[in-house]
Amino acid sequence: LAKTTQPISMDSYEGQEVNITCSHNNIATNDYITWYQQFPSQGPRFIIQGYKTKVTNEVASLFIPADRKSSTLSLPRVSLSDTAVYYCLVGEVVNDMRFGAGTRLTVKP
Amino acid sequence: EAGVAQSPRYKIIEKRQSVAFWCNPISGHATLYWYQQILGQGPKLLIQFQNNGVVDDSQLPKDRFSAERLKGVDSTLKIQPAKLEDSAVYLCASSFLAGVGETQYFGPGTRLLVL
């Protein structure tokens, strides 16, 4: 199982771009990288998933370098409502993936 | 599309009592997961069902926890007897299949407090 390392917490201000980096040095060839967002008193919510290079959707972008040993979740122009815990998961199928402690993002006005 | 439903939302019991949680996954989702999330930690997978069969229960404390999904739809997770350290949020999630890169959809969770 690939181990992931993320910063415990990050602070930002409204309107800024936020980049959260996840390290996964022992990622396997068939592993995907998946990010979830969790608000207090709610279950995690899927944000984005990628295998290599760059993936973009209406919520975020995911940048994955060629060696795939890390990935960066980019949230453009954050708002107060983006305050949440963000989890990086690595694995081929769900029961290979493990949630770590995540990164607690606080967006300030 | 209705999301994953869980009940109850909150439960307070005393140690050594029993408790059960119910989950109704998204319609058509064959795979169902139960997670335990202790305060300040990420969710920990307890058990995964594919239809009504168990795929992975390697992290389920089987001496006190049990789960079933008899008709391949709803599922119940039971703790008997409960310990203080079982205080946590129990999350249910579902996915269409259990294939490569599958996305999970989580319910709101049941918050359990064991006194």
Side-chain angles (χ1 to χ4, degrees):
Chain A
L1 300 176
K3 178 178 164 59
T4 60
T5 303
Q6 306 174 231
I8 293 173
S9 64
M10 294 181 67
D11 289 343
S12 183
Y13 290 93
E14 283 191 291
Q16 289 188 332
E17 178 184 73
V18 170
N19 295 307
I20 306 174
T21 297
C22 179
S23 297
H24 28 81
N25 290 319
N26 62 339
I27 188 169
T29 302
N30 295 331
D31 287 347
Y32 281 75
I33 300 157
T34 310
W35 286 80
Y36 284 83
Q37 173 192 55
Q38 186 175 27
F39 298 114
S41 300
Q42 294 186 26
R45 181 177 75 110
F46 172 84
I47 301 176
I48 197 166
Q49 183 182 75
Y51 182 79
K52 62 179 179 180
T53 62
K54 176 184 174 183
V55 180
T56 297
N57 62 22
E58 64 277 6
V59 176
S61 295
L62 179 59
F63 298 93
I64 306 168
D67 66 4
R68 304 203 324 126
K69 293 183 183 299
S70 67
S71 58
T72 299
L73 174 72
S74 181
L75 304 172
R77 298 181 298 281
V78 294
S79 65
L80 297 177
S81 62
D82 292 314
T83 294
V85 178
Y86 292 82
Y87 296 98
C88 163
L89 284 74
V90 172
E92 182 177 358
V93 292
V94 168
N95 60 339
D96 288 341
M97 305 179 186
R98 295 291 181 263
F99 283 85
T103 297
R104 185 172 300 276
L105 172 67
T106 302
V107 180
K108 302 175 183 178
Chain B
E1 180 184 85
V4 176
Q6 291 188 247
S7 67
R9 291 296 311 276
Y10 305 93
K11 190 74 176 178
I12 301 174
I13 62 172
E14 295 190 349
K15 60 184 179 183
R16 290 188 289 274
Q17 286 187 322
S18 302
V19 65
F21 314 125
W22 173 83
C23 173
N24 182 239
I26 291 173
S27 177
H29 280 195
T31 310
L32 185 146
Y33 315 83
W34 283 102
Y35 287 83
Q36 179 192 59
Q37 185 171 25
I38 293 171
L39 188 63
Q41 299 181 17
K44 170 186 161 186
L45 180 65
L46 294 176
I47 189 167
Q48 176 184 344
F49 291 94
Q50 182 73 17
N51 296 308
N52 61 349
V54 175
V55 173
D56 181 0
D57 63 357
S58 57
Q59 299 193 86
L60 186 74
K62 298 180 187 64
D63 58 334
R64 298 182 302 106
F65 286 65
S66 64
E68 60 183 13
R69 194 184 183 202
L70 292 175
K71 297 181 180 179
V73 180
D74 294 7
S75 177
T76 56
L77 176 70
K78 297 179 182 177
I79 308 175
Q80 180 180 12
K83 293 185 176 182
L84 297 177
E85 59 261 35
D86 298 331
S87 294
V89 176
Y90 290 85
L91 294 161
C92 179
S94 69
S95 61
F96 183 63
L97 291 172
V100 173
E102 194 72 34
T103 300
Q104 299 175 85
Y105 297 85
F106 284 82
T110 296
R111 186 175 299 273
L112 173 67
L113 179 61
V114 182
L115 302 175

